[in-house]
Amino acid sequence: MNQVHGNKSHRERVTQATKTVQANQNERAAYRLRYHLMAPSGWMNDPNGLIYFNGQYHAFYQHYPYGETWGPMHWGHGISDDLIHWHHLPVALAPGEAYDRDGCFSGSAVDDQGTLTLIYTGHNVIDPEKDVIVQNQNIARSRDGIHFYKANANPVIHQQPAGMGQDFRDPKVWRENGVWFMVVGATKHDQGQVLLYESANLEEWTYRGVLAQNDGGNEGYMWECPDFFKLGDKYVLLASPQGVEPEGDRYLNHHQTVYMVGDYVNGQFIRSSFTELDYGHDFYAVQTLLDGKGRRIAIGWMDMWESPKPSQKHGWAGAMTLPRELVLTEEGKIAMKPIEELTLLRQQSTPIGPLHVKHVHPILSSGNLVELEAQFALVDSDASAFGIRFCCAADGSEETVLRFDLLKHTVTLDRSRSGEGPGGARTVSIKSAATIDVRLFIDRSSVEVFINDGETVITSRIYPQETSTGMTVFAEGGSIVMPTCTVHKL
Ligand code: FRU
C-alpha cells in the first residue's frame, strides 16, 4: 500500500536536504511550475486543510521538506488572497508525538469560532516488514494562523470501530446546525468505506456509522481522502479509492479520484453514481473548500502514486492543480470550471481567429507558460477529427496531442511523445455538441484541458524540453472552423 514508504536515516535526510537546497537555489530548476502551488522544496502530495479563513485562502499539503521523495509527512502551508498567487508560510505540522510518530497524514481545516483548527491523521508504523500500521485522528490549533499547537486531547479518535481494517485516515470536517461532522476513509474486508462521526467540540467524537461504501463492485479496497458536501440540490461525495481495476478506457491510473452524487438521509448517503472527476494521468486526493462567494472550489494533487517523476532528479516533486469551481450540471454530473481569477494570470492576449483549418495551422509559439482559448464550430465543419499539438520541438522529436475524434465522439490526450515523462494516452467520451470550447493551460511540466466549461477535464504532467514550445491546430478528413482562438501568455 502506498502509505508506507519506509523511514529514512538521519544521514539520508541531511544529504537529501542539501541536495534540495542546491536544486532550489536555481529558481529555474528543471520543470518547476510558475503559476501552480508547489512546495518551496522537496516533496509534495495531497492538498490538506483547504480553507477560506479571515478573508484569505489557506492551502496546506502533504510535504517532506528534506527530500524529493515521500518521507515522514509534514504539513506545508501556503496562503493566498486570490487562489492564484501564493506565499509560503512555515511548515504547520511535523511528526514526532507518540501518536503521529511517522507522519502527520492528510486532513482538513475548520474555523472554530475564530481559531484556525487542523484535523489530521497520525500515522504510526508498528511493523514495517509486515506493513502493520496504526492510524488515529488528531487536532492542532493556531492563534495566529501560522503556528499550530497539537491538542493535549490527542488522539481525539484513537482507533477505528471494531472489525475494520487498519487503514483509517484523511478526516474532512465541517459544521452543520451547530454540530461538527467528520467523514474519514476506511476499509472493511477489503472494501472501501467512508465513516461518519459527529462532535460538539472537535475533541470528543461519536461514531455515527458508514456513510457510503463499496458494496462489492469494482470500487476499490480503501477510500482515501473523502470529502462530502451539498452542491445544488444534491449531496456529493468525493473519494480517492485505491484498487479500482481498469475497465476499457476507464480507471487507468494507479489510483482514481471519483465523485458520487446522491441524497443524504439520516446519516446515510444514497448514491447513484461513481464517476472519475478528471480524466488525465495526474489527478488525485482532491479536496474542496467553500469560499466567501459561496463557491465550492476543488484542488487536487497533480501527480500520481507510482508514476515516474522526472523532476526528482532535480531535487523536487509534486504540484497542486489549478483551482476549479465545482458545478452540478442538469444531467447530475459534476463540471469543474477553471475559477474566474485565472484570467489574472494573462499578461498578453493575442487573438488569432477566426480560422478555417484545412490540414495544419501554426499558432504563434508563445513559450510554455500559456493559456489557449479556442472554439471549434462543428456544425460548419466536415473534418472527421481535429485537435491541437503543443509543446512541439522544432525538429519534430516532441509533441503532446489533444485530438477530438468526431466519428467516435471521444477526446484523447496523448503524451507518448511529450518528452522525458512516463507517456501514455487517456481517452474519454464527449457529448455531441454544436461547438467545442477548449481552455488549455500549459505550465512548463503540466497541462490542464477544460472542455466545454469544465464538463470534461484532463490533467496530466508532461516533461518536454524547455525549447519545445511550438503549437498547431489540425484537421483530418476535411476542415474545421474556429470562430475564435486566442493565445494568452501567462
Ligand atoms: C493519499 C494518501 C492519504 C494519506 C497521504 C499520505 O494520497 O495516501 O491517504 O493521508 O496520502 O501522504
Side-chain angles (χ1 to χ4, degrees):
M1 276 184 213
N2 75 40
Q3 78 278 13
V4 181
H5 294 273
N7 277 324
K8 292 192 170 53
S9 71
H10 179 68
R11 214 176 59 155
E12 272 177 307
R13 278 187 226 168
V14 171
T15 317
Q16 278 180 334
T18 317
K19 267 200 292 182
T20 303
V21 169
Q22 281 163 357
N24 291 293
Q25 274 167 353
N26 180 2
E27 241 299 288
R28 293 188 61 80
Y31 305 129
R32 286 292 280 182
L33 303 174
R34 285 301 163 79
Y35 56 87
H36 286 77
L37 175 61
M38 291 178 304
S41 64
W43 167 274
M44 163 194 265
N45 59 287
D46 313 0
N48 297 151
L50 301 182
I51 188 168
Y52 182 69
F53 178 75
N54 281 350
Q56 286 182 301
Y57 297 94
H58 291 254
F60 301 83
Y61 49 86
Q62 290 284 277
H63 181 35
Y64 185 55
Y66 308 113
E68 68 279 4
T69 53
W70 191 88
M73 282 289 105
H74 295 55
W75 277 37
H77 187 186
I79 190 165
S80 172
D81 290 330
D82 57 12
L83 284 164
I84 304 295
H85 303 94
W86 292 94
H87 301 282
H88 294 295
L89 291 176
V91 163
L93 293 177
E97 309 304 322
Y99 50 80
D100 64 11
R101 206 175 57 205
D102 298 304
C104 298
F105 271 20
S106 288
S108 48
V110 295
D111 177 350
D112 182 13
Q113 296 176 317
T115 302
L116 184 56
T117 305
L118 310 180
I119 306 97
Y120 70 97
T121 297
H123 178 65
N124 304 275
V125 178
I126 307 302
D127 183 342
E129 315 279 79
K130 298 200 180 114
D131 203 12
V132 180
I133 56 169
V134 165
Q135 298 187 321
N136 51 40
Q137 316 313 325
N138 303 289
I139 63 177
R141 297 189 178 95
S142 175
R143 276 187 213 102
D144 59 5
I146 299 175
H147 304 95
F148 290 84
Y149 301 90
K150 296 176 184 174
N152 291 334
N154 286 343
V156 294
I157 304 180
H158 282 260
Q159 59 187 39
Q160 55 278 63
M164 308 280 306
Q166 63 175 2
D167 299 84
F168 176 51
R169 59 179 174 273
D170 310 338
K172 175 77 199 259
V173 175
W174 73 99
R175 195 168 172 84
E176 212 173 292
N177 301 328
V179 180
W180 295 108
F181 290 93
M182 174 197 290
V183 283
V184 58
T187 178
K188 186 170 186 180
H189 304 314
D190 280 340
Q191 308 287 305
Q193 293 196 330
V194 171
L195 308 183
L196 182 68
Y197 286 77
E198 70 171 59
S199 170
N201 55 15
L202 294 173
E203 295 203 350
E204 288 137 67
W205 290 90
T206 307
Y207 176 51
R208 287 277 309 271
V210 177
L211 179 81
Q213 64 185 344
N214 174 1
D215 286 313
N218 180 26
E219 295 181 342
Y221 58 79
M222 166 64 194
W223 286 7
E224 297 190 310
C225 303
D227 196 349
F228 188 59
F229 48 86
K230 195 163 188 221
L231 193 65
D233 56 356
K234 289 286 181 187
Y235 276 83
V236 172
L237 178 63
L238 304 179
S240 294
Q242 299 178 293
V244 178
E245 297 297 328
E247 287 176 11
D249 287 331
R250 297 282 56 77
Y251 312 139
L252 295 180
N253 294 336
H254 186 71
H255 299 313
Q256 327 302 321
T257 290
V258 300
Y259 68 85
M260 298 164 243
V261 178
D263 297 303
Y264 182 37
V265 189
N266 298 330
Q268 292 267 313
F269 179 55
I270 322 288
R271 66 184 164 110
S272 55
S273 54
F274 182 91
T275 312
E276 282 163 290
L277 187 56
D278 184 298
Y279 294 94
H281 300 82
D282 294 289
F283 184 83
Y284 196 61
V286 70
Q287 190 179 101
T288 70
L289 63 84
L290 192 62
D291 82 348
K293 299 178 187 158
R295 297 179 298 177
R296 179 61 65 175
I297 293 170
I299 297 178
W301 178 37
M302 193 161 56
D303 283 287
M304 183 51 60
W305 291 112
E306 316 304 336
S307 276
K309 297 175 181 60
S311 68
Q312 287 178 314
K313 284 194 297 227
H314 307 280
W316 69 280
M320 295 291 119
T321 66
L322 291 176
R324 298 118 187 245
E325 183 181 350
L326 299 187
V327 176
L328 190 68
T329 69
E330 279 171 12
E331 294 115 343
K333 298 198 165 138
I334 292 190
M336 291 199 287
K337 294 150 80 92
I339 58 163
E340 62 190 20
E341 289 88 335
L342 284 165
T343 54
L344 296 173
L345 288 168
R346 295 175 181 172
Q347 311 264 335
Q348 189 196 339
S349 300
T350 312
I352 305 177
L355 295 174
H356 191 104
V357 180
K358 278 242 165 54
H359 296 291
V360 179
H361 186 96
I363 306 259
L364 25 159
S365 157
S366 40
N368 49 16
L369 301 173
V370 67
E371 175 193 349
L372 179 78
E373 205 183 8
Q375 186 171 69
F376 300 90
L378 306 191
V379 272
D380 303 323
S381 309
D382 58 0
S384 55
F386 67 91
I388 305 160
R389 292 195 163 83
F390 53 97
C391 294
C392 305
D395 65 1
S397 60
E398 284 181 2
E399 62 175 13
T400 303
V401 186
L402 182 74
R403 181 176 180 275
F404 291 83
D405 188 319
L406 296 176
L407 305 177
K408 295 188 187 148
H409 299 287
T410 56
V411 57
T412 299
L413 180 77
D414 188 348
R415 61 172 191 180
S416 46
R417 299 183 64 237
S418 293
E420 213 188 336
R426 292 288 180 269
T427 296
V428 54
S429 299
I430 47 165
K431 278 198 309 200
S432 329
T435 54
I436 290 184
D437 287 303
V438 174
R439 283 178 74 187
L440 174 77
F441 291 86
I442 301 167
D443 188 359
R444 297 186 86 193
S445 62
S446 72
V447 48
E448 286 159 282
V449 187
F450 296 88
I451 299 165
N452 287 345
D453 213 9
E455 263 179 19
T456 305
V457 183
I458 307 176
T459 302
S460 294
R461 299 300 297 277
I462 52 173
Y463 298 92
Q465 298 168 66
E466 190 67 13
T467 48
S468 296
T469 57
M471 190 186 271
T472 59
V473 282
F474 63 90
E476 294 171 21
S479 61
I480 185 95
V481 172
M482 298 180 69
T484 62
C485 180
T486 306
V487 173
H488 305 282
K489 283 195 185 189
L490 307 181

